[in-house]
């Protein structure tokens, strides 16, 4: 699975690792990966928007197990909004993408024992140089003076979603403030294939940001109560 064939979801999953340590740093990876999968399927015209709800087109298939699994899940479920699908069982997509990355040699699995008894899996970045290059490319899109209109829709979506998901390996808190306008323009560029798709991408980004905020509030409340 060469870099050029990585799905948007897989690319963002890898970018949630620190190339320096090889360890994951993304706090909301499952939400981010699900949002990226929805975005890619919409960009590829395999999910359509019906009254604010995604539906797969007839005989939609990508050949990517993680994306096809999501298409099947949406197709077999009762209709939900885009916002709901960002947070509805997102780990199903995350785990499918992660398994692909392990099989492709991008990640490796390490087993340890919690409390010296219970086995637990940890994932480490294997191809650190490749991911470091991916991060540099993404940061260049964010900081560069290249007109947004010349940025590919995939690259625009990657940076816009990284910002919404607070993926600090790509968009730092300072970047989010200083480049707020460019991030918004990249978000619009993500759906440049048409007005309906632009609306869909905006809904997914908004839903992701809301889900991340909710996750932070829940974690903060739990921490305060303990």
């Amino acid at each position: 699975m060469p870099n050029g064939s990585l799905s948007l979801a897989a690319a963002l999953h890898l970018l949630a690792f620190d190339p320096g340590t090889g360890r994951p740093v993304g706090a909301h990876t499952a939400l981010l990966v699900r949002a990226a999968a929805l975005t890619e399927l919409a960009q590829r015209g395999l999910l359509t928007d019906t009254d604010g709800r995604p539906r797969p087109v007839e005989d939609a298939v990508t050949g990517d197990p993680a994306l096809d699994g999501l298409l099947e899940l949406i197709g077999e479920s009762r209709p939900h909004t885009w916002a709901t699908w960002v947070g509805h069982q997102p780990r199903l997509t995350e785990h499918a993408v992660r398994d692909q990355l392990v099989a492709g040699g991008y990640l490796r699995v390490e087993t340890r024992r919690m409390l010296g008894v219970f086995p637990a899996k940890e994932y480490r970045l294997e191809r650190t140089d490749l991911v470091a290059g991916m991060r540099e490319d993404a940061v260049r899109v964010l900081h560069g003076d290249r007109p947004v209109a010349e940025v590919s829709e995939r690259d625009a979506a990657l940076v816009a979603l990284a910002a919404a998901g607070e993926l600090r390996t790509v968009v730092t808190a300072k970047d989010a403030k200083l480049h707020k306008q460019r991030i918004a323009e990249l978000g619009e560029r993500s759906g440049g294939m048409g007005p309906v798709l632009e609306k869909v991408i905006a809904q997914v980004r908004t839903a992701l940001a809301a889900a991340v905020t909710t996750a932070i509030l829940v974690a903060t409340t739990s921490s305060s109560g303990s």
Side-chain angles (χ1 to χ4, degrees), residues 4-176:
S5 66
L6 285 173
S7 68
L8 184 61
L12 281 164
H13 198 307
L14 288 175
L15 287 169
F17 285 77
D18 183 344
T21 65
R23 294 176 178 273
V25 295
H28 313 292
T29 307
L31 297 172
L32 187 59
V33 168
R34 170 57 66 80
L38 289 167
T39 298
E40 178 164 351
L41 291 171
Q43 285 184 328
R44 294 171 65 169
L46 298 176
L47 281 180
T48 59
D49 181 75
T50 304
D51 298 325
R53 293 169 171 79
R55 296 301 300 172
V57 300
E58 187 175 358
D59 298 325
V61 65
T62 68
D64 181 301
L67 296 179
D68 287 340
L70 181 55
L71 282 171
E72 182 178 357
L73 179 63
I74 295 174
E76 293 180 350
S77 302
R78 65 183 181 83
H80 294 296
T81 64
W82 293 89
T84 297
W85 276 115
V86 170
H88 181 65
Q89 298 181 311
R91 293 192 183 281
L92 292 177
T93 303
E94 179 195 26
H95 291 173
V97 170
R98 188 175 63 195
D99 289 346
Q100 286 179 283
L101 293 172
V102 171
Y106 292 89
L107 301 176
R108 69 177 185 275
V109 185
E110 296 181 354
T111 303
R112 64 181 180 85
R113 290 194 175 275
M114 297 177 61
L115 303 176
V117 179
F118 305 104
K121 292 182 178 180
E122 293 184 344
Y123 294 85
R124 297 289 182 265
L125 189 59
E126 188 71 18
R127 302 182 62 179
T128 55
D129 290 346
L130 181 141
V131 175
M134 290 169 57
R135 182 169 68 175
E136 290 175 2
D137 290 342
V139 170
R140 194 175 299 116
V141 169
L142 175 62
H143 291 268
D145 55 5
R146 184 181 179 188
V148 170
E150 296 180 7
V151 176
S152 72
E153 290 167 359
R154 173 190 167 86
D155 289 346
L158 187 148
V159 175
L161 289 169
E166 299 184 347
L167 189 57
R168 298 312 187 203
T169 54
V170 177
V171 184
T172 66
K174 182 178 179 180
D175 287 337

